[in-house]
Amino acid sequence: MLPLTASRGILTGILTAAMAVSVLPDAEPAMSDLVVRGTDTDAVAAAVVAHGGEVEFEIGLIDAVSARVPTSLVDELTADARTIDVTPDAPVQLLSLTDASLTDTGTVLEVAPTTTTTTIATTTSTVTGITGAAAADVLSDGRMAKNSFDGTGIDVALVDSGVDTSAVSGVKPGIDVSLSSTARDGYGHGTAMAGIIRSVAPDAGIVDVKVADDRGVVDVSQVLAGIDWAVTNRNTGGRNIRVLSLSFGTDGSNPASTSPLVYAVEAAWRHGITAVVAAGNHGTELGRLTTPAISPWVIAVGAADTRGMTTDSSLRGAGVPSWSAHGNGVRNPDIIMPGRSILGGLAKDSAVARANPDAIVNGQIVGSGTSQATAFTAGVVAAIHEARSGLSPDEVKALMIGAAEANTTAPARQAGAGLVDLDRLFGKAHLAGRVKGIQAHAWSNGTGSLDGDRGRFVLQDGNGNLLTGQNTPVGPFNGSTWTGSTWTGSTWTGSTWTGSTWTGSTWTGSTWTGSTWTGSTWTGSTWTNVRWGQ
């Protein structure tokens, strides 16, 4: 593969990988690019200097600095009492997110790339679905609408494939770090999720954090960057981001204690953003939830089948599809929410729409999955934050679990606390009462390898080459490209991030979209995706 423009990712330094060593000219000592973390940023910076290194920038959110240190002195720096850990600057590698549907056994079906336009039938389909609003009425007897809890003043950061603003209203500009050449949602997944969120909370804002391209392909570094941008910009530009909706998951092997993806969603949680994450569509195949739903902090959502239910139905007897992921008995889904045959926003001529024309009903698209359940939950969480603006993410999670009805047809490993009774959730006694159950889990340290988060799905190009090592779609990481405090400063909104490096010719020009990377061999199922038309 041809060398591409160099860049540095926001969390790369806290991932474990082979140490990057460069030999300087004129017999200068070999230097190592590191991220050095401690309990105080200034003390960490002083330790770096004391051991012959230089600080490149601070990473204030994690009390760390990016630094270059003589390789021969790395061990001494590691032993310094002012440091907690010293880890090499590491590569990001890609996740492939191309599946459009899953069978009940979890088999991935890939969306074949196409250059032709398929006529979309919007009125002839025999497929039926329910809107998020209708599902909410079943769970609340209309109480959400009656009490006017509609997400007013609350923004949901949707980290996905983008949103078609002609299909979904209330969309606010966010950031586009995808590989797409245009801002449209060429894949279709994000627009479907946005439509569900808005149907449940029709006055909530949708902040479009576009990370996946027209085929659903996204790099782990893009997901991390999207989450980071949402944290950094949660209160800028008139935004009030209180909810993070992530219909995404990998089968990675990292435990929650070290997973970089878990670290990212927990960073959002610590900053007052309630993270809602899909549990996965793999049934019992993995024996656990997907990453980052394995985080014990976030709200991990499984799918419920609410078709045919009425306001008189017992929530305890709601169906749970076989494909809705089971936990391991320790970390299970927290709740289940409607995720079967849910109508979402339609991005016309998107990959999902072209591949599933029968799923299109009256200008919307029907889909099933924990993705849909996650979007539904994100809308509910927006309404909670509107109803009680001072609640912490821990308190929101406690309220939702406390309003759930234990399922009698599915084990707790699959249904968690059960289907949330929105009538109870938004009832005055429950909503206005004292909230208990503040969490006390250990936080992830993010030091696991990116390979471990990527799992078994490896991105490869049309020639069978894997993107590995220090490489990313824009080249190897190099501290000279990304400077400043990436977590707390202006780097993400400055020219380095939104300029030519990420959105210019390197990502969308001939290097990326040419024959080298347009083969049909993308693999993976890391969007906890959907069974369109069901």
Side-chain angles (χ1 to χ4, degrees):
M1 188 178 74
L2 294 173
L4 302 175
T5 304
S7 61
R8 175 191 294 277
I10 53 170
L11 288 177
T12 58
I14 54 174
L15 312 177
T16 55
M19 184 173 296
V21 177
S22 59
V23 179
L24 300 178
D26 301 325
E28 292 287 344
M31 303 292 286
S32 295
D33 292 322
L34 306 170
V35 165
V36 187
R37 190 161 64 96
T39 58
D40 178 84
T41 305
D42 291 339
V44 170
V48 168
V49 173
H51 293 282
E54 59 183 49
V55 175
E56 295 181 316
F57 59 87
E58 294 182 355
I59 310 175
L61 184 65
I62 59 174
D63 294 315
V65 298
S66 173
R68 302 198 77 226
V69 177
T71 303
S72 62
L73 298 178
V74 170
D75 289 343
E76 292 182 15
L77 178 61
T78 303
D80 193 300
R82 291 168 288 188
T83 67
I84 291 177
D85 58 34
V86 177
T87 51
D89 196 9
V92 292
Q93 298 166 4
L94 298 184
L95 295 176
S96 173
L97 314 177
T98 59
D99 59 307
S101 59
L102 298 174
T103 68
D104 272 359
T105 58
T107 302
V108 176
L109 301 178
E110 181 176 326
V111 178
T114 177
T115 57
T116 61
T117 300
T118 302
T119 301
I120 297 175
T122 59
T123 59
T124 60
S125 176
T126 59
V127 174
T128 59
I130 59 175
T131 65
D137 281 350
V138 168
L139 304 188
S140 68
D141 195 16
R143 183 64 60 91
M144 280 182 69
K146 291 174 184 176
N147 289 346
S148 298
F149 297 139
D150 53 15
T152 299
I154 305 299
D155 290 332
V156 179
L158 178 62
V159 181
D160 215 291
S161 60
V163 183
D164 184 341
T165 56
S166 68
V168 180
S169 61
V171 180
K172 297 184 178 183
I175 193 169
D176 182 353
V177 295
S178 73
L179 308 179
S180 300
S181 58
T182 66
R184 65 183 293 270
D185 179 12
Y187 187 52
H189 188 276
T191 301
M193 300 305 108
I196 295 170
I197 294 170
R198 288 280 292 181
S199 68
V200 176
D203 282 342
I206 306 292
V207 178
D208 182 6
V209 182
K210 179 176 169 61
V211 297
D213 76 353
D214 293 347
R215 294 184 58 205
V217 175
V218 62
D219 179 15
V220 171
S221 67
Q222 293 164 278
V223 175
L224 297 177
I227 296 171
D228 176 73
W229 184 91
V231 173
T232 303
N233 293 276
R234 63 194 182 280
N235 296 318
T236 66
R239 304 178 190 91
N240 183 28
I241 297 175
R242 299 301 307 278
V243 188
L244 178 71
S245 185
L246 196 60
S247 292
F248 170 93
T250 80
D251 66 350
S253 59
N254 282 328
S257 60
T258 64
S259 162
L261 282 172
V262 167
Y263 183 92
V265 296
E266 290 180 358
W269 195 271
R270 288 194 297 270
H271 281 73
I273 301 175
T274 304
V276 184
V277 184
N281 288 352
H282 53 268
T284 59
E285 180 185 358
L286 290 181
R288 54 179 169 79
L289 306 184
T290 53
T291 301
I294 55 173
S295 167
W297 292 90
V298 304
I299 300 176
V301 186
D305 185 352
T306 55
R307 295 175 304 169
M309 291 179 64
T310 68
T311 55
D312 297 324
S313 300
S314 170
L315 302 188
R316 292 180 177 272
V320 182
S322 61
W323 41 257
S324 187
H326 289 234
N328 60 9
V330 176
R331 179 50 175 152
N332 301 321
D334 293 300
I335 55 173
I336 52 175
M337 282 293 212
R340 188 70 182 262
S341 299
I342 307 297
L343 284 162
L346 173 65
K348 294 183 179 180
D349 200 33
S350 63
V352 166
R354 291 195 304 268
N356 303 277
D358 290 340
I360 299 168
V361 179
N362 296 326
Q364 292 182 289
I365 190 163
V366 180
S368 300
T370 55
S371 284
Q372 275 72 6
T374 296
F376 183 98
T377 305
V380 172
V381 171
I384 294 174
H385 277 298
E386 176 203 357
R388 285 190 65 176
S389 60
L391 291 180
S392 69
D394 279 3
E395 291 168 330
V396 171
K397 182 176 179 178
L399 275 175
M400 296 195 75
I401 291 176
E405 292 283 350
N407 195 278
T408 57
T409 66
R413 287 191 178 201
Q414 186 181 27
L419 186 58
V420 176
D421 183 341
L422 299 185
D423 194 359
R424 181 190 302 172
L425 176 64
F426 289 96
K428 183 176 181 180
H430 186 72
L431 190 63
R434 182 181 178 185
V435 183
K436 299 180 180 180
I438 305 302
Q439 301 183 100
H441 310 294
W443 296 103
S444 173
N445 59 28
T447 59
S449 70
L450 211 61
D451 278 343
D453 265 3
R454 184 180 62 185
R456 58 184 165 162
F457 299 106
V458 179
L459 185 69
Q460 64 185 54
D461 66 17
N463 297 319
N465 300 313
L466 302 181
L467 193 64
T468 58
Q470 291 281 26
N471 296 313
T472 77
V474 292
F477 284 117
N478 187 304
S480 64
T481 301
W482 285 0
T483 59
S485 178
T486 56
W487 284 97
T488 59
S490 59
T491 302
W492 295 119
T493 57
S495 59
T496 300
W497 178 251
T498 57
S500 60
T501 298
W502 286 92
T503 59
S505 60
T506 300
W507 284 94
T508 59
S510 59
T511 301
W512 179 258
T513 58
S515 60
T516 303
W517 290 101
T518 54
S520 60
T521 51
W522 299 99
T523 59
S525 62
T526 46
W527 284 112
T528 53
N529 217 330
V530 298
R531 305 177 68 222
W532 301 104
Q534 299 190 35

